[in-house]
């Protein structure tokens, strides 16, 4: 299995990855294609597709910041789910360097959200209970309430607030 970093929406595998992105995440958690095209140019942003035997199997979209790596979106194709591939991918990502990792998850208000949180916990992520929200993707939407998960340790509410203040303007182009 290999990772290939995409830098343009015309790159090989982008359209397969984009289709998975649109199917795997609700509209209020996704960028628009024009925004994605723009953000691909940011050196801190990584749009990494996962390829196994020349087949697209998923992606991990992440940011490399001074003190954190932030997983923006992560998904595998339906045929690869529940086979341990996601755990393998995240373990390789964790072992890339010693920076702490942050990701966000939906509130545990449904079975699927609970399962997603439990998956990340099995990999070693910690569920932080601080208030956390992301700005609306579209102007007519409300901010989205989420929770932060972190690896390898919990983060303080102060660190969560600092993450929002320092990195949200970059992540969300505000």
């Amino acid at each position: 299995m290999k990772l290939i970093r995409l830098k343009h929406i015309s790159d090989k595998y982008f359209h397969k990855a984009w289709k998975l992105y649109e199917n795997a995440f609700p509209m209020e958690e996704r960028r628009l294609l024009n925004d994605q095209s723009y953000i691909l140019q940011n050196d801190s942003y990584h749009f990494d597709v996962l390829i196994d035997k020349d087949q697209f199997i998923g992606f991990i979209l992440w940011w490399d910041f001074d003190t954190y790596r932030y997983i923006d979106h992560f998904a595998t194709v339906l045929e690869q789910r529940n086979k341990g591939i996601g755990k393998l991918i995240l373990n390789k990502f964790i072992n890339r360097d010693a920076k702490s990792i942050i990701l966000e998850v939906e509130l545990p208000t449904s079975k699927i959200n609970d399962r997603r949180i439990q998956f990340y916990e099995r990999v070693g992520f910690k569920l932080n209970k601080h208030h956390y929200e992301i700005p609306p993707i579209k102007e007519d939407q409300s901010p989205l309430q989420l929770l932060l998960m972190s690896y390898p340790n919990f983060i303080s509410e102060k660190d969560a607030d600092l993450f929002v203040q320092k990195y949200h303007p970059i992540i969300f182009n505000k």
Side-chain angles (χ1 to χ4, degrees), residues 62-83:
W62 62 282
W63 293 84
D64 190 9
F65 295 124
D66 296 336
T67 54
Y68 293 105
R69 286 182 289 155
Y70 168 70
I71 298 175
D72 202 349
H73 293 90
F74 170 64
T76 57
V77 295
L78 194 57
E79 303 80 34
Q80 295 296 327
R81 293 184 190 156
N82 300 313
K83 294 182 178 179

Side-chain angles (χ1 to χ4, degrees), residues 105-129:
V105 291
E106 294 91 349
L107 301 176
T109 55
S110 70
K111 285 184 181 182
I112 188 78
N113 292 355
D114 285 337
R115 285 183 53 202
R116 192 170 291 122
I117 290 167
Q118 291 166 7
F119 164 75
Y120 287 118
E121 287 176 331
R122 285 192 302 274
V123 176
F125 282 84
K126 310 292 189 230
L127 182 63
N128 299 278
K129 302 286 182 153

Side-chain angles (χ1 to χ4, degrees), residues 136-142:
I137 302 296
K138 294 183 178 178
E139 289 182 22
D140 62 339
Q141 295 175 332
S142 299

Side-chain angles (χ1 to χ4, degrees), residues 33-172:
L33 184 59
N34 286 342
D35 296 334
Q36 184 64 54
S37 181
Y38 174 76
I39 214 159
L40 281 166
Q41 305 312 307
N42 189 312
D43 288 337
S44 297
Y45 182 71
H46 295 254
F47 192 116
D48 293 343
V49 293
L50 307 149
I51 308 300
D52 189 37
K53 300 176 186 156
D54 294 324
Q55 295 295 313
F56 168 76
I57 62 168
F59 59 74
I60 185 165
L61 313 181
W62 62 282
W63 293 84
D64 190 9
F65 295 124
D66 296 336
T67 54
Y68 293 105
R69 286 182 289 155
Y70 168 70
I71 298 175
D72 202 349
H73 293 90
F74 170 64
T76 57
V77 295
L78 194 57
E79 303 80 34
Q80 295 296 327
R81 293 184 190 156
N82 300 313
K83 294 182 178 179
I85 298 291
K87 184 176 180 181
L88 175 71
I89 293 163
L90 283 177
N91 283 328
K92 284 184 175 190
F93 184 80
I94 287 167
N95 292 322
R96 282 176 93 142
D97 67 39
K99 286 183 188 175
S100 296
I101 302 168
I102 293 178
L103 59 83
E104 57 200 19
V105 291
E106 294 91 349
L107 301 176
T109 55
S110 70
K111 285 184 181 182
I112 188 78
N113 292 355
D114 285 337
R115 285 183 53 202
R116 192 170 291 122
I117 290 167
Q118 291 166 7
F119 164 75
Y120 287 118
E121 287 176 331
R122 285 192 302 274
V123 176
F125 282 84
K126 310 292 189 230
L127 182 63
N128 299 278
K129 302 286 182 153
H130 324 303
H131 171 78
Y132 177 73
E133 67 182 25
I134 61 170
I137 302 296
K138 294 183 178 178
E139 289 182 22
D140 62 339
Q141 295 175 332
S142 299
L144 187 60
Q145 305 298 311
L146 299 167
L147 292 172
L148 287 176
M149 295 190 78
S150 53
Y151 181 93
N153 302 307
F154 289 100
I155 59 171
S156 69
E157 188 168 4
K158 180 181 175 185
D159 285 342
D161 290 343
L162 286 171
F163 174 78
V164 169
Q165 291 170 11
K166 186 172 183 177
Y167 298 120
H168 268 200
I170 298 167
I171 296 167
F172 297 102

